[in-house]
């Protein structure tokens, strides 16, 4: 028997629904009857839900990932019971003639549909294609029921409002399911980490030769769960005969070719996957947006029509500050506390990085409402310690430990950003959640900031779990990112795929210098002191001095990625590099951030004249004014005032040993005024920039926006505290930080 969902012609169904919506047909037009006859039960003998049950049960009997199998069986069974019941109720609805009874039954059906849609959306990743198939008739059913309600009471706009909400909701739900499916699909290609499996062939122990076969796999090739531990072999390449225990150009070239083939295959898979999702779900959920009364929806967004929003920000209306009952630090405390409590009110949790104005929640920036950065959480943790709010600090420190312990790759890694509403992703077997836009990277800077917060917590509380977590992070960095050359230091970390960042960042190595110094102070172990010294060496190697003006000094962003593959081969062939020789590091001296000046000074890496010179360079080259407020750009080539950079700069000037305290006053004044008067200010937190947008400039490539921002607020609080207590400096030696 053919599966009825596969015969569903969404365009024809939508044409009927849209036509009815346009005509405002009277009661009795038969949307439900038409829908039941053409979609749910095209022939009396057919029962769509029984057919679906067979299909899904067959799917869950296939060999799935062991972690999701039991969840999938239970979830699919529960969903199918709901769907079968819904189908029977819809079939009975066609025989009802009493208007009151029809209204009551429609309300009940809507609750059933919404519950079934929620269960469908919560199916584990391995069942998302099935979720798309189920949502096709379910979504149309929901819309048909709402249309029937609208026709029963055409004078009540609330039914059109519900239709607006449902059409937009299903369109967004389809997109979110697709995004989740896409990221899950990615995790099955080369184990989600670009893993290449290598096998030695034709081993000749006498001659000490062998050939190496390289393979990468896909567990869900052709959109089917593939047998075996790794799935289907996608690409296989074999080297020629190579010498054992010796470097081989052939081996490196084959490996480079395989590494290039993985993203090429992934792009092909994603294109095919997107086409499949468009066919199954996305094309017609987009068409449903034609049912939306957009003029009213747009008036809602403009605040001209008041309806409950889909997403609330907390607090919706902050209490007005009148300057009499709370000091600046008290108000910064409150803002950061609220950012912690946005989604979870107790226990381990990250801070919500940004608080968006209500009007922005449904705009292009709305997704960052759900962003929680490891860096912002670490800075807030340090701030709460400096404020003596140890309960808050411990909750944030515990969250960093949880993120470390539950990382999907593990080994001492922490992702750059999680989803603010769920530190653990239950859909991915309770691994750390990932804010996917750019939060999947595991870079050294974010990990070192987590380490700075945790080492301070151990110093203050004596709880070993914080030291253990910090050492775990430290060992990962030592084992995976240390660079053994004349410049030393640590490379950048890795992206979501596990591809290594081979460049070295001054900012990351400033963080590493202080983090490893903290570990050396706490443990007395020499290897941590050596790691700190190595990070310092890299920073000093990236110091740039004008040959004609020895007092013009700055620290650039770091080194460029060293050449590999064909680029490296071209250097050898040109004679600029000998075979097997490692190319020397190359400065990336065209990108000059503000924090490589201010943070280097705060860490005390180069306490001689260069420290003062670089801060003076920062003052001359990074200053800016935006919306009437003074401060610093994120980088020399950036635009507009960025308050996180400004607060770090003002702290560096305040604590400078070069006598630059006089230059700090104007920045302090600007930050304090912004709390009260910057666009989108609420009297409590700091916006990331008083301008609509502050760019970081070429070579960095991201932006900050005029939203209340945790890092800017926490850094401002620390800068204010540092006027009286230098230990508020996040890079201060632990010997200066009080315990308890």
């Amino acid at each position: 028997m053919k599966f009825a969902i596969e015969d569903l012609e969404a365009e024809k169904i939508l044409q009927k629904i849209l036509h009815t919506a346009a005509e405002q047909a009277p009661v009795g037009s038969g949307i439900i009857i038409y829908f039941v006859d053409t979609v749910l039960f095209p022939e009396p003998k057919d029962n769509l839900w029984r057919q679906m049950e067979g299909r899904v049960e067959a799917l869950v009997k296939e060999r799935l990932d062991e972690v999701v199998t039991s969840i999938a069986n239970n979830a699919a069974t529960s969903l199918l019971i709901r769907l079968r019941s819904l189908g029977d109720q819809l079939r009975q609805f066609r025989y009802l003639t009493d208007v009151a009874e029809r209204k009551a039954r429609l309300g009940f059906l809507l609750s059933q549909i919404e519950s079934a849609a929620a269960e469908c959306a919560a199916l584990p990743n391995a069942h998302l294609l099935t979720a798309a198939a189920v949502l096709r008739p379910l979504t149309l059913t929901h819309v048909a029921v709402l249309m029937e309600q609208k026709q029963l009471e055409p004078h009540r706009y609330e039914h059109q409002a519900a239709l607006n909400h449902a059409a937009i909701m299903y369109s967004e739900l389809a997109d979110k399911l697709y995004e989740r499916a896409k990221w899950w699909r990615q995790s099955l290609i080369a184990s989600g980490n670009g893993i290449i499996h290598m096998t030695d062939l034709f081993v000749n122990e006498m001659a000490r030769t062998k050939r190496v076969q390289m393979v990468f796999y896909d567990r869900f090739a052709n959109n089917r769960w593939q047998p075996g531990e790794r799935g289907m072999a996608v690409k296989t390449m074999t080297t020629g005969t190579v010498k054992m225990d010796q470097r081989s150009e052939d081996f490196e070239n084959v490996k480079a070719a395989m590494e290039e083939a993985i993203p090429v295959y992934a792009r092909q898979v994603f294109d095919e996957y997107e086409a499949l999702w468009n066919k199954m779900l996305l094309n017609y959920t987009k068409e449903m947006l034609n049912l939306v009364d957009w003029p009213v929806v747009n008036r809602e967004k403009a605040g001209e029509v008041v309806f409950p929003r889909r997403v609330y920000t907390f607090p919706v209306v902050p209490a007005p500050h009148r300057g009499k009952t709370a000091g600046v630090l008290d108000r910064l405390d409150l803002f950061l506390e609220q950012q912690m409590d946005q989604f979870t009110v107790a226990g381990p949790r990250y801070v919500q990085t940004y608080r968006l104005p209500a009007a922005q929640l449904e705009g292009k920036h709305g997704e960052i409402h759900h962003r929680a950065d490891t860096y912002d959480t670490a800075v807030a943790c340090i701030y709460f310690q400096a404020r003596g709010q140890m309960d808050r600090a411990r909750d944030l420190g515990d969250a960093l430990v949880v993120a470390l312990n539950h990382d999907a790759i593990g080994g001492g890694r922490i992702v750059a950003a999680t989803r603010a509403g769920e530190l653990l992703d239950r859909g991915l077997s309770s691994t750390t959640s990932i804010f996917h836009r750019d939060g999947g990277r595991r870079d050294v800077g974010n990990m070192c900031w987590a380490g700075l917060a945790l080492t301070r917590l151990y110093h203050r509380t004596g709880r070993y779990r914080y030291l253990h977590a910090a050492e775990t992070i430290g060992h990962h960095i030592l084992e995976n990112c240390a660079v053994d050359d004349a410049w030393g230091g640590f490379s950048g970390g890795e992206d979501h795929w596990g591809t290594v960042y081979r460049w070295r960042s001054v900012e990351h190595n400033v963080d590493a210098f202080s983090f490893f110094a903290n570990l050396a102070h706490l443990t007395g172990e020499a290897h941590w002191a050596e790691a700190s010294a190595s990070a310092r060496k890299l920073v000093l190697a990236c110091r740039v001095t004008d040959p004609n003006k020895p007092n013009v000094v700055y620290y650039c962003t770091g080194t460029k990625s060293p050449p590999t593959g064909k680029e490296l081969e071209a250097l050898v062939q040109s004679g600029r590099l000998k075979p097997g020789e490692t190319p020397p590091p190359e400065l990336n001296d065209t990108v000059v951030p503000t924090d490589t000046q201010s943070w280097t000074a705060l860490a005390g890496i180069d306490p001689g004249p260069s420290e003062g010179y670089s801060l003076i360079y920062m003052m001359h080259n990074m200053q800016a004014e935006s919306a009437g407020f003074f401060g610093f750009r994120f980088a020399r080539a950036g635009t507009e005032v960025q308050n996180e950079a400004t607060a770090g700069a003002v702290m560096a000037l305040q604590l400078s040993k070069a006598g630059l305290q006089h230059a700090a006053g104007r920045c302090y004044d600007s930050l304090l005024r912004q709390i009260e008067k910057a666009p989108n200010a609420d009297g409590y937190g700091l916006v990331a920039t008083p301008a609509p947008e502050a760019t970081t400039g070429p070579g960095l490539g991201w932006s900050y926006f005029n939203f209340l921002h945790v890092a800017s607020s926490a850094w401002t609080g620390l800068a204010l505290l540092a006027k009286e207590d230098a230990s508020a400096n996040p890079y201060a030696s632990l010997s200066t930080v009080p315990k308890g």
Side-chain angles (χ1 to χ4, degrees):
M1 183 183 295
K2 208 168 184 183
F3 192 48
I5 287 182
E6 294 172 350
D7 292 331
L8 176 62
E9 297 183 52
E11 292 76 15
K12 291 184 178 179
I13 308 300
L14 280 173
Q15 284 174 9
K16 175 69 174 177
I17 293 175
L18 290 169
H19 180 70
T20 304
E23 289 186 346
Q24 294 292 304
V27 176
S29 61
I31 289 291
I32 291 291
I33 295 172
Y34 176 82
F35 189 81
V36 170
D37 285 346
T38 58
V39 180
L40 300 182
F41 305 102
E43 296 178 16
K45 63 181 180 180
D46 287 347
N47 186 319
L48 176 67
W49 312 119
R50 294 189 186 280
Q51 294 173 48
M52 189 180 298
E53 180 178 14
R55 174 64 63 91
V56 178
E57 286 182 351
L59 177 62
V60 298
K61 287 177 182 177
E62 294 179 13
R63 185 181 184 280
L64 300 175
D65 187 281
E66 292 80 0
V67 178
V68 303
T69 300
S70 60
I71 302 173
N73 275 294
N74 293 333
T77 300
S78 175
L79 177 61
L80 288 166
I81 292 171
R82 288 180 178 274
L83 292 177
R84 184 162 52 241
S85 171
L86 178 61
D88 291 336
Q89 291 173 54
L90 282 169
R91 184 159 51 179
Q92 296 164 16
F93 179 82
R94 66 187 298 177
Y95 302 112
L96 293 178
T97 57
D98 181 78
V99 174
E101 179 64 23
R102 288 172 72 88
K103 288 182 183 179
R105 189 67 63 89
L106 284 173
F108 178 74
L109 284 171
L110 283 175
S111 67
Q112 293 288 94
I113 291 169
E114 290 171 353
S115 179
E119 284 204 38
C120 191
L123 280 176
N125 293 324
H127 287 258
L128 287 176
L129 282 175
T130 302
V134 172
L135 272 174
R136 230 170 18 179
L138 191 64
T139 304
L140 288 172
T141 305
H142 195 166
V143 171
V145 169
L146 290 172
M147 286 294 298
E148 195 82 14
Q149 274 193 328
K150 182 180 175 183
Q151 290 167 23
L152 283 170
E153 298 179 309
H155 58 285
R156 297 181 63 177
Y157 188 80
E158 64 189 70
H159 300 311
Q160 177 61 52
L163 190 59
N164 295 343
H165 173 81
I168 295 171
M169 179 194 72
Y170 278 117
S171 179
E172 293 180 346
L173 174 60
D175 288 340
K176 288 176 181 177
L177 285 176
Y178 169 65
E179 284 298 315
R180 181 154 68 95
K182 185 171 67 173
W183 284 103
W184 173 78
R185 183 70 185 87
Q186 174 180 293
S187 72
L188 301 178
I189 300 171
S191 301
N193 301 309
I195 289 178
I196 299 169
H197 295 272
M198 301 184 188
T199 306
D200 291 345
L201 304 174
F202 306 109
V203 176
N204 187 328
E205 293 290 350
M206 295 293 294
R208 302 296 292 164
T209 62
K210 63 180 179 180
R211 300 178 72 182
V212 181
Q213 183 184 73
M214 302 186 193
V215 186
F216 75 85
Y217 295 84
D218 184 356
R219 296 197 70 188
F220 205 67
N222 302 318
N223 296 317
R224 297 177 183 276
W225 201 265
Q226 298 295 329
E229 180 183 355
R230 299 166 184 153
M232 186 182 84
V234 175
K235 188 175 184 63
T236 303
M237 295 183 69
T238 306
T239 67
T241 301
V242 299
K243 285 283 189 181
M244 295 183 186
D245 307 322
Q246 293 184 19
R247 186 180 183 279
S248 165
E249 290 294 323
D250 185 19
F251 176 88
E252 296 296 336
N253 289 337
V254 171
K255 184 180 178 185
M258 290 292 288
E259 289 173 344
E260 292 174 359
I262 293 174
V264 171
Y265 173 76
R267 283 192 293 271
Q268 176 187 340
V269 166
F270 289 159
D271 289 344
E272 295 172 353
Y273 207 51
E274 183 176 16
L276 179 61
W277 271 82
N278 282 336
K279 178 181 177 182
M280 295 180 65
L281 185 63
L282 300 179
N283 284 340
Y284 84 91
T285 53
K286 292 174 185 175
E287 283 296 314
M288 281 186 169
L289 296 179
N290 291 321
L291 293 165
V292 176
D293 184 357
W294 288 110
V296 171
V297 171
N298 291 332
R299 290 202 300 273
E300 286 182 50
K301 292 181 179 180
E304 298 170 5
V305 179
V306 180
F307 287 104
R309 293 185 174 274
R310 290 183 301 104
V311 182
Y312 289 89
T313 188
F314 171 77
V316 179
V317 181
H321 168 62
R322 297 182 175 84
K324 296 180 180 179
T325 58
V328 173
L329 290 171
D330 295 320
R331 287 180 278 133
L332 288 171
D333 290 349
L334 180 64
F335 170 74
L336 294 172
E337 290 165 5
Q338 291 175 347
Q339 293 305 100
M340 285 182 67
D341 297 345
Q342 178 71 265
F343 299 98
T344 305
V345 297
R349 58 203 187 275
Y350 270 34
V351 288
Q352 179 197 37
T353 300
Y354 289 98
R355 182 186 299 170
L356 273 63
Q360 296 285 347
L361 289 175
E362 298 179 33
K364 64 180 180 179
H365 300 301
E367 65 177 352
I368 64 174
H369 179 77
H370 300 283
R371 181 183 184 116
D373 284 85
T374 293
Y375 164 70
D376 292 66
T377 297
V379 178
C381 177
I382 293 171
Y383 172 79
F384 280 125
Q385 292 179 59
R387 287 287 283 160
Q389 296 191 35
M390 297 306 297
D391 288 345
R392 291 275 177 180
R394 279 192 291 267
D395 282 349
L396 295 178
D398 290 342
L400 295 171
V401 175
V402 169
L404 170 73
N405 291 341
H406 289 258
D407 187 85
I409 303 175
R413 296 168 173 83
I414 295 183
V415 295
T418 73
R419 290 196 289 273
E422 51 175 354
L423 181 56
L424 297 185
D425 189 334
R426 307 297 180 185
L428 290 176
S429 304
S430 296
T431 61
T432 305
S433 70
I434 297 174
F435 184 84
H436 280 296
R437 179 57 64 87
D438 59 357
R441 69 185 189 277
R442 281 105 170 151
D443 60 85
V444 165
N446 275 288
M447 289 189 284
C448 285
W449 268 98
L452 288 169
L454 291 169
T455 48
R456 281 204 171 206
L457 263 180
Y458 175 71
H459 174 74
R460 285 179 174 271
T461 67
R463 291 196 64 188
Y464 176 67
R465 70 191 311 251
Y466 300 130
L467 178 60
H468 175 267
E471 288 191 290
T472 302
I473 295 169
H475 282 298
H476 168 75
I477 295 172
L478 286 181
E479 293 165 8
N480 295 278
C481 304
V483 182
D484 185 16
D485 65 10
W487 290 25
F490 302 90
S491 58
E494 60 193 41
D495 66 10
H496 181 77
W497 287 87
T499 303
V500 173
Y501 296 135
R502 299 192 180 279
W503 41 261
R504 281 170 274 180
S505 160
V506 166
E507 183 250 293
H508 288 188
N509 279 273
V510 170
D511 305 337
F513 167 79
S514 289
F515 170 42
F516 288 130
N518 285 359
L519 286 175
H521 174 85
L522 294 171
T523 67
E525 295 175 1
H527 64 279
W528 298 128
E530 293 166 1
S532 180
S534 179
R536 179 176 186 268
K537 185 163 63 172
L538 184 280
V539 174
L540 297 180
C542 295
R543 184 178 63 200
V544 179
T545 303
D546 188 325
N548 300 316
K549 299 177 181 178
N551 61 342
V552 176
V553 176
Y554 62 85
Y555 300 88
C556 67
T557 195
T559 71
K560 298 179 180 178
S561 294
T564 58
K566 293 181 180 179
E567 187 179 2
L568 184 62
E569 182 181 342
L571 289 175
V572 173
Q573 290 177 350
S574 68
R576 294 164 61 190
L577 203 66
K578 296 178 182 178
E581 185 180 4
T582 301
E586 183 180 357
L587 277 182
N588 186 2
D589 56 3
T590 60
V591 180
V592 185
T594 297
D595 60 15
T596 58
Q597 324 314 315
S598 58
W599 290 7
T600 300
L602 289 172
I605 282 184
D606 194 2
S610 293
E611 177 183 301
Y613 291 154
S614 73
L615 291 177
I616 292 170
Y617 183 90
M618 175 187 75
M619 292 166 58
H620 288 169
N621 292 275
M622 281 78 155
Q623 288 182 358
E625 285 197 34
S626 300
F629 298 99
F630 175 79
F632 289 87
R633 300 188 297 275
F634 189 88
R636 185 175 63 187
T639 62
E640 308 293 353
V641 170
Q642 202 277 321
N643 283 327
E644 174 195 335
T646 298
V650 72
M651 184 190 289
L653 294 172
Q654 178 66 31
L655 299 179
S656 168
K657 297 180 177 63
L660 299 174
Q661 287 75 13
H662 64 281
R666 189 180 179 189
C667 288
Y668 274 120
D669 176 69
S670 175
L671 292 169
L672 291 173
R673 287 193 301 113
Q674 284 190 65
I675 294 174
E676 299 276 359
K677 298 179 180 179
N680 282 326
D682 68 349
Y684 296 86
L686 262 290
V687 291
T689 173
E693 178 180 0
T695 65
T696 55
L700 296 173
W702 66 89
S703 295
Y704 294 88
F705 299 95
N706 178 225
F707 307 140
L708 293 166
H709 183 218
V710 163
S712 296
S713 301
W715 264 105
T716 296
L718 290 168
L720 292 168
L721 290 169
K723 296 176 75 171
E724 305 296 333
D725 181 2
S727 72
N729 170 11
Y731 294 107
S733 169
L734 287 183
S735 62
T736 69
V737 177
K739 294 186 177 182

